[in-house]
């Protein structure tokens, strides 16, 4: 077959955000819109593209299969040699990262809008991951964006029809060169990787019980996202968890109407089931399988920032890290600083990077980083270059198996040793964009006034002294690349912090995020409710920002 050149028109706004291009499905469905973006990704790869192999898969959301077919047709016409595609178009984000690394491909295209709802009236997304398996860094996404602004045509072979639902391999001749599409099992490679990282038999003993202890009862919720087949294979087939302990494990195009975001608001089902049931542990994952939420008995909530710190302090529970050693820890800037305490006490280097997993990649590639996380329910390690929900759950089960304690006791002990960073994030979704931008400008001008430094901010009896206010910028220690305007920070003398950011993953309007982090080491405070403890700082955060005046919002959409 031969390729065709199709004339197209430029679409504005194909700028990848924190994690790829995310828009409403109907935007992606406009004539040529998706084709343009795929062509731009391929073109940005330059000469390396010819004869290359790429991985393709996604979270199973509506429109995904259609886009897989488009990618096959466009990749064939652009000189790609081989595509490795997940069966039914299904690959979790961590699985894509695993497969890129295992087969040393040039990269992969991930079809997901992560935790955003799916369906004809909801969202879709396309993300490019590089040969290290991680989300493309800014210089690559900028290149893609520049190409979308001038694209005049794309190349396609319109009549390639390959059944992506069956595991098989097909090779055709395109303009005289072979082009192969290999449809692979969605789970095999990922499962093999997990088995090499964790001690499955000790986790299995924990879950099934032994003479020493009763079975540790878990409830795993796939939120109708991509993790279904992975949960089934790993937890049910490999670890022997009963069918009734894995729920929402069939990927649905609209996630069954769920908002597949594992937090206390959108995974309330899991919270209620754990509260009312016999469970010792609960976990949920987002649409594309890179986020996780961990709960203990009675739905004891482990904040992602604490989760990172506890795993950091217990990496010796996981065989992988015994082999590799602990090279360093990292967190995104707004993430609660609990892991900093572990790093300081154990003499391990800690890195702070901007929001978004792409910023961890260079540090990992250079061998400086073993474990990292974000407050947004992202936890992961250098086993791949994405955050990894199922990995996080297995990591927690390894720690529980090793310590032989409940999740709550593990946390209490951790706080007794390191003190506690109370953390909360307020999200105001779908605000008017102009209002949100005005608010950010207002905050920035307030915190950059010279007299702001050293000023005292009070709420009730609490007084906080400002150490610094700025717009966070970052220089990558490996390649010197810079990322500026990554969030407005107010740092206080006692280590407390307030951070404001606009989301880079939404598909309409603006989402304002307000992050509050505060450290306590008074033993009497360790058990307190985070919302109680943080109330004064939250009040200050809302006052400085004039959030209510700018946006008209009285209350956040989601609190995590
Ligand atoms: C959000 C989170 C960020 C995360 C990103 C992608 O970005 O805050 O921590 O890396 O989503 O996660 P933003 O720009 O909306 O705050 V996922 O699971 O969507 O791949
Ligand atoms: Co995700």
């Amino acid at each position: 077959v031969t390729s065709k050149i199709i004339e197209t028109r430029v679409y504005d706004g194909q700028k990848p955000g924190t994690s790829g291009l995310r828009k409403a499905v109907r935007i992606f469905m406009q004539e040529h819109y998706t084709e343009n973006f795929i062509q731009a990704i391929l073109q940005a790869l330059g000469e390396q593209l010819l004869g290359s192999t790429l991985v393709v898969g996604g979270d199973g959301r509506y429109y995904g299969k259609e886009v897989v077919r488009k990618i096959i047709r466009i990749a064939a016409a652009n000189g790609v040699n081989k595509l490795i595609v997940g069966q039914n178009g299904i690959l979790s984000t961590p699985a894509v990262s695993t497969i890129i690394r295992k087969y040393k491909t040039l990269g992969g295209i991930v079809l997901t809008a992560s935790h955003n709802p799916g369906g004809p009236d909801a969202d879709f997304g396309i993300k490019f991951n590089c040969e290290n398996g991680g989300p493309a860094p800014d210089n690559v996404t900028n290149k893609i964006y520049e190409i979308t602004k001038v694209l005049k045509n794309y190349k396609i072979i319109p009549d390639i029809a390959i059944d992506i639902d069956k595991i098989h391999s097909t090779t055709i001749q395109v303009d005289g060169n072979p082009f192969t599409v290999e449809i692979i099992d969605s789970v095999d490679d990922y499962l093999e990787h997990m088995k090499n990282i964790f001690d499955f038999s000790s986790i299995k003993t924990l879950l099934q019980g032994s003479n020493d202890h009763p079975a540790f009862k878990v409830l795993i919720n796939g939120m109708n996202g991509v993790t279904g087949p992975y949960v089934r294979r790993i937890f049910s087939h490999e670890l022997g968890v009963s069918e009734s302990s894995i729920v929402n494990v069939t990927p649905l195009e609209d996630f069954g109407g769920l908002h597949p975001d594992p937090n206390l608001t959108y995974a309330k089902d899991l919270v209620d089931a754990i509260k009312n049931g016999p469970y010792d542990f609960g976990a949920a994952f987002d649409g594309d399988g890179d986020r996780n939420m961990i709960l203990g008995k009675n739905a004891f909530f482990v904040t992602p920032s604490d989760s990172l710190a506890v795993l950091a302090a217990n990496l010796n529970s996981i065989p992988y890290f015994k082999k590799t050693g602990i090279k360093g820890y990292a967190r995104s800037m707004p993430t609660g600083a609990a892991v900093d305490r572990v790093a300081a006490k154990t003499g391990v280097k800690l890195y702070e990077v901007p929001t978004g997993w792409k910023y961890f990649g260079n540090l990992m590639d250079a061998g400086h980083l073993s474990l990292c996380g974000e407050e947004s329910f992202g936890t992961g390690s250098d086993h791949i270059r994405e955050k990894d929900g199922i990995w996080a759950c297995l990591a927690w089960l390894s720690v529980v198996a090793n310590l032989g304690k409940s999740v709550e006791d593990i946390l209490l002990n951790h706080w007794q040793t390191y003190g506690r960073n109370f953390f909360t994030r307020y999200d105001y979704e779908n605000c008017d964009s102009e209002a949100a931008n005005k608010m950010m400008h207002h905050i920035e001008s307030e915190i950059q006034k010279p007299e702001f430094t050293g000023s005292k901010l009070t709420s009730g009896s609490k007084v906080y002294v400002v150490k610094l206010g700025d717009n966070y910028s970052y220089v990558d220690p490996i390649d010197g690349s810079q990322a500026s305007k990554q969030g407005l920070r107010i740092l206080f003398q006692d280590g407390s912090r307030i951070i404001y950011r606009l989301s880079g993953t939404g598909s309409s309007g603006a989402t304002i995020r307000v992050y509050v982090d505060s450290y306590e080491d008074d033993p009497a405070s360790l058990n307190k409710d985070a919302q109680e403890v943080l109330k004064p700082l939250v009040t200050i955060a809302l006052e400085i920002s004039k959030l209510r005046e700018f946006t008209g919002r009285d209350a956040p959409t989601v609190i995590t």
Side-chain angles (χ1 to χ4, degrees), residues 18 22 114-115 290-291 374 376 387 501 503-505 513:
T18 313
R22 281 185 199 169
S114 187
H115 50 284
D290 56 0
R291 297 186 177 202
E374 295 192 274
S376 53
K387 54 190 187 264
R501 270 184 77 246
S503 157
T505 57
R513 307 203 194 285

Side-chain angles (χ1 to χ4, degrees), residues 206-207 214-221 241-248 268-284 294-301 397 400 405-408:
L206 170 80
L207 300 182
F216 188 74
K217 286 207 171 67
V218 302
L219 183 62
I220 312 285
N221 189 331
V241 164
S242 71
E243 283 287 311
S244 61
S245 293
I246 57 172
V247 295
N248 297 333
K268 197 173 174 299
D269 265 15
L270 178 72
V271 176
D272 292 344
I274 304 274
K275 256 189 199 148
N276 303 323
Y279 303 104
D280 301 300
F281 182 94
I294 302 293
L295 301 173
K297 206 174 178 58
N298 299 319
F300 178 88
F301 173 56
L397 292 173
V400 171
K405 289 185 186 143
S406 72
V407 171
E408 182 166 359

Side-chain angles (χ1 to χ4, degrees), residues 199-438:
D199 179 353
F200 269 44
S201 77
S202 83
I203 298 175
K204 191 166 182 176
T205 309
L206 170 80
L207 300 182
Q208 306 214 317
S210 67
N211 293 336
D212 310 336
H213 65 84
F216 188 74
K217 286 207 171 67
V218 302
L219 183 62
I220 312 285
N221 189 331
M223 298 190 88
N224 301 322
V226 76
T227 51
Y230 300 83
V231 167
R232 198 176 282 283
R233 280 278 286 286
I234 293 173
F235 292 95
S236 165
H237 298 187
E238 295 287 334
L239 298 171
V241 164
S242 71
E243 283 287 311
S244 61
S245 293
I246 57 172
V247 295
N248 297 333
V249 286
T250 303
L252 300 176
E253 288 199 328
D254 65 349
F255 306 115
L258 291 185
H259 191 148
D261 198 358
N263 60 41
L264 296 176
T265 304
Y266 296 127
K268 197 173 174 299
D269 265 15
L270 178 72
V271 176
D272 292 344
I274 304 274
K275 256 189 199 148
N276 303 323
Y279 303 104
D280 301 300
F281 182 94
F285 312 111
D286 73 335
D288 64 327
D290 56 0
R291 297 186 177 202
N292 74 92
M293 177 169 75
I294 302 293
L295 301 173
K297 206 174 178 58
N298 299 319
F300 178 88
F301 173 56
V302 182
T303 72
S305 305
D306 277 339
S307 174
L308 174 62
V310 169
L311 292 181
N314 289 284
L315 283 186
N316 62 345
S317 309
I318 301 170
Y320 174 86
F321 296 103
K322 287 194 191 148
K323 267 183 266 160
T324 63
I326 299 174
K327 298 163 181 166
Y329 303 129
R331 59 167 171 79
S332 65
M333 181 274 283
T335 300
V339 68
D340 302 32
R341 318 269 158 198
V342 178
K345 214 171 195 142
T346 54
V348 174
K349 181 125 173 82
L350 178 98
Y351 299 88
E352 184 183 60
V353 308
T355 294
W357 211 261
K358 57 189 166 192
Y359 295 106
F360 295 123
N362 275 350
L363 289 165
M364 288 185 179
D365 291 347
H368 294 317
L369 180 54
S370 293
L371 178 81
C372 55
E374 295 192 274
E375 46 64 40
S376 53
F377 297 81
T379 325
S381 90
D382 64 349
H383 70 291
I384 53 172
R385 297 294 180 271
E386 288 277 6
K387 54 190 187 264
D388 189 342
I390 287 183
W391 175 93
C393 178
L394 292 170
W396 262 94
L397 292 173
S398 306
V399 171
V400 171
N402 187 42
L403 297 180
K405 289 185 186 143
S406 72
V407 171
E408 182 166 359
D409 283 346
I410 291 173
L411 262 299
L412 290 177
N413 290 344
H414 186 90
W415 294 331
Q416 276 154 10
T417 308
Y418 297 97
R420 178 172 175 189
N421 276 79
F422 289 88
F423 179 86
T424 192
R425 180 176 109 181
Y426 280 35
D427 290 341
Y428 300 81
E429 294 175 353
N430 234 317
C431 293
D432 177 67
S433 290
E434 206 186 311
N437 284 325
K438 278 192 181 148

Side-chain angles (χ1 to χ4, degrees), residues 63-195:
Y63 202 47
K65 280 189 163 187
E66 190 59 39
V67 177
V68 170
R69 293 187 195 105
K70 288 183 197 291
I71 292 172
I72 292 174
R73 293 177 189 134
I74 297 171
N78 277 277
V80 172
N81 173 253
K82 182 175 173 183
L83 293 180
I84 301 176
V85 180
Q87 186 180 18
N88 298 310
I90 295 251
L91 287 176
S92 72
T93 293
V96 171
S97 190
T98 302
I99 294 165
I100 291 172
R101 295 171 66 76
K102 179 171 172 185
Y103 298 106
K104 303 194 166 37
T105 74
L106 180 60
I109 301 176
V110 200
L111 306 175
T112 174
S114 187
H115 50 284
N116 295 18
D121 298 320
D123 289 348
F124 191 73
I126 304 181
K127 183 169 80 153
F128 181 69
N129 281 28
C130 295
E131 57 193 326
N132 72 347
D138 293 333
N139 66 317
V140 177
T141 54
N142 289 339
K143 201 164 169 188
I144 295 171
Y145 179 47
E146 291 308 316
I147 294 171
T148 66
K149 291 198 279 191
V150 295
L151 196 76
K152 295 214 165 54
N153 51 53
Y154 59 85
K155 285 193 218 158
I156 192 162
I157 301 176
D159 43 8
I160 299 184
I162 285 175
D163 182 359
I164 60 170
D165 297 344
K166 266 204 220 82
I167 294 176
H168 76 290
S169 177
T170 309
T171 299
I172 54 172
Q173 296 296 318
V174 175
D175 302 327
N177 294 314
F179 170 70
T180 301
V181 177
E182 189 179 349
I183 311 294
I184 62 165
D185 180 85
S186 308
V187 183
D188 284 349
D189 295 300
Y190 181 79
L191 170 64
E192 179 197 75
H193 201 29
M194 291 303 114
K195 281 179 147 176

Side-chain angles (χ1 to χ4, degrees), residues 461-538:
S461 60
K462 280 279 200 181
V463 182
Y464 296 90
V465 185
V466 175
K467 188 170 136 198
L468 172 84
D470 72 355
N471 199 334
Y472 177 64
S473 62
Y474 175 71
V475 178
D476 185 297
I478 309 304
D479 66 9
S481 58
Q482 297 194 16
S484 56
K485 302 196 166 116
Q486 297 295 315
L488 301 173
R489 304 191 295 175
I490 303 174
L491 310 183
F492 297 98
Q493 272 174 5
D494 72 346
S496 300
R497 303 184 299 156
I498 297 172
I499 290 137
Y500 307 88
R501 270 184 77 246
L502 295 184
S503 157
T505 57
S507 58
S508 62
T511 293
I512 300 167
R513 307 203 194 285
V514 183
Y515 311 77
V516 176
D517 177 17
S518 177
Y519 179 69
E520 294 275 344
D521 57 5
D522 170 12
S525 304
L526 297 179
N527 276 329
K528 284 190 182 155
D529 176 56
Q531 295 304 322
E532 269 317 299
V533 172
L534 295 174
K535 212 169 178 181
L537 268 178
V538 170

